Amino acid sequence: FALANGVTATTQSAGNNSILLSTTAYADAAGVSLSGSTNNTIATVTGANALIGEANLTFDGTNLSKITQCSFSVGDESTALNATGDGTAVSPVVFDTEIFDVGANFASNTFTAPVTGKYMIIASIGFGDVSSSHTTSKVRITTSNRNYDKNTSYAGETGTISEFVSVIADMDASDTATVLAQFSGASKVVDISGSSTYTFFQGYLLG
């Protein structure tokens, strides 16, 4: 089963095994049992006359609530001057501008997964003041389970270069995701661009 956002289910007294679904509707299902996973995020209803299914839920001992679908989008509006270029890895990349954060799961340049699932995660880095001597770049999405790299080689490109990586990442509850940026091949004069047009980090729970 699935509860709409904001809907709660409350168990009644021992003599009344109804499950209150809202202020105006309830289901009377004798013999229904409600069980949860060890982290209290998955609830399963079974029993005669029960609605069968699962949903991402939280249970505080009295109220059962559906977890809001999480998503976030953040950017960087402050240029980090001379951050890399000689192989220095900037990790985590700083994202100082929040565009939205549904579920409040992004803080301190880090996304923390609220529940176990598959997440679409996107990172883009704008590299500034790249010289013709610089040869390679790396943009990495670092998660608790594994890393996802985009490595690029160059032959004389200069100025501002934007590199982008997107993945579907498997994450467990409380796993984290951050971004690493690196440029190599010459001196440490490459900036991390302070513009959310080029430098941003986004994610969305697929399920």
Side-chain angles (χ1 to χ4, degrees):
F1 73 95
L3 299 178
N5 290 337
V7 176
T8 61
T10 305
T11 57
Q12 306 301 299
S13 65
N16 180 358
N17 56 17
S18 300
I19 299 176
L20 183 63
L21 298 180
S22 69
T23 57
T24 58
Y26 67 94
D28 188 5
V32 171
S33 63
L34 179 63
S35 60
S37 62
T38 55
N39 61 6
N40 292 323
T41 58
I42 303 296
T44 304
V45 176
T46 58
N49 304 315
L51 296 173
I52 306 300
E54 293 184 348
N56 287 326
L57 305 166
T58 58
F59 185 59
D60 62 8
T62 301
N63 296 314
L64 187 67
S65 302
K66 181 181 178 182
I67 295 174
T68 302
Q69 187 82 352
C70 74
S71 60
F72 72 94
S73 179
V74 294
D76 178 21
E77 294 295 338
S78 300
T79 297
L81 297 172
N82 304 323
T84 186
D86 61 347
T88 297
V90 180
S91 178
V93 173
V94 172
F95 296 97
D96 58 14
T97 301
E98 179 183 298
I99 300 168
F100 59 83
D101 183 12
V102 178
N105 300 297
F106 188 89
S108 301
N109 309 307
T110 303
F111 169 70
T112 302
V115 295
T116 298
K118 304 299 186 292
Y119 291 80
M120 171 66 74
I121 302 178
I122 302 165
S124 175
I125 300 294
F127 295 101
D129 289 338
V130 176
S131 75
S132 58
S133 298
H134 289 106
T135 56
T136 59
S137 72
K138 179 195 299 287
V139 176
R140 168 181 290 172
I141 295 174
T142 304
T143 72
S144 299
N145 287 334
R146 58 189 53 82
N147 299 328
Y148 303 89
D149 289 358
K150 167 72 179 300
N151 298 294
T152 307
S153 298
Y154 306 95
E157 289 87 347
T158 61
T160 298
I161 295 173
S162 182
E163 293 295 346
F164 177 95
V165 58
S166 63
V167 300
I168 297 177
D170 61 309
M171 300 183 73
D172 302 314
S174 298
D175 278 0
T176 60
T178 58
V179 179
L180 175 149
Q182 181 184 53
F183 227 101
S184 302
S187 57
K188 191 177 179 180
V189 297
V190 175
D191 307 332
I192 304 296
S193 175
S195 170
S196 294
T197 301
Y198 299 108
T199 304
F200 57 85
F201 187 26
Q202 301 172 331
Y204 180 78
L205 173 61
L206 297 174

